[in-house]
Amino acid sequence: MAFWVLRSEPDAYSWDDLVRDGGTEWNGVRNYTARNFLKEMAVGDQALFYHSNTEKAAVGIMEVTRAWQPDGDDGKWASVAVKAVRPLAHPVTLAAIKAEPKLAELMMLKQSRLSVSKVEPAEWALLLKMAE
C-alpha cells in the first residue's frame, strides 16, 4: 500500500462534500508530476484529504477505490476514484507539519504547489499520530 496527500480548496470540494457524496472522482489535476502520481495509485492506497488555501490542514483519510483512468478530452490527464475512510480526530495543520523536524522532507513541503504528492510510510505514521 502507498500513501498520498490529495489537496483541495474546501470552498471547491471539501471533506464534508466527500463524506456527503460517499466518494468522488479525483479529477481536474493539470500538472504533469501530480498526474504521474495519480497514475501510480492503486486500489487500497490511502491518502490524507488536505484542505488547502484557507484551512491549511489535513482533515481526513481517503482510500483509492479505482485506479487511474484518462481525464479530459485529450486523454493525457488522469483521475482516480476515492472514498472517505474517516475524519482525523484533530486536523493536522500546515504549521504543525512544518514544525515537526521528522517531516522536513515531506514532499508536500518540498513541492508545495503539487495537489497530489507521495507520503513515505514513516511520515504517514507520524502524521496519523499527530492527528490523535
Side-chain angles (χ1 to χ4, degrees), residues 33-113:
T33 302
R35 177 213 51 197
N36 292 342
F37 288 146
L38 288 171
K39 286 184 168 187
E40 288 181 31
M41 290 181 184
V43 172
D45 284 0
Q46 292 196 334
L48 288 174
F49 193 118
Y50 181 88
H51 281 167
S52 59
N53 290 348
T54 55
E55 193 173 340
K56 296 184 181 178
V59 296
I61 298 174
M62 302 181 288
E63 182 177 314
V64 175
T65 58
R66 194 206 67 250
W68 82 277
Q69 69 180 19
D71 179 30
D73 294 336
D74 58 13
K76 71 179 182 178
W77 302 107
S79 69
V80 296
V82 296
K83 70 175 183 179
V85 173
R86 66 177 171 85
L88 297 177
H90 300 92
V92 181
T93 65
L94 179 60
I97 293 169
K98 287 181 173 181
E100 174 51 66
K102 292 178 182 173
L103 295 175
E105 297 302 314
L106 187 66
M107 183 176 285
M108 73 172 275
L109 298 179
K110 295 289 188 179
Q111 296 181 332
S112 61
R113 306 245 343 135

Side-chain angles (χ1 to χ4, degrees), residues 114-130:
L114 287 180
S115 62
V116 178
S117 59
K118 287 183 178 181
V119 178
E120 296 300 322
E123 295 167 334
W124 180 264
L126 181 54
L127 288 163
L128 293 187
K129 185 158 184 59
M130 292 170 69

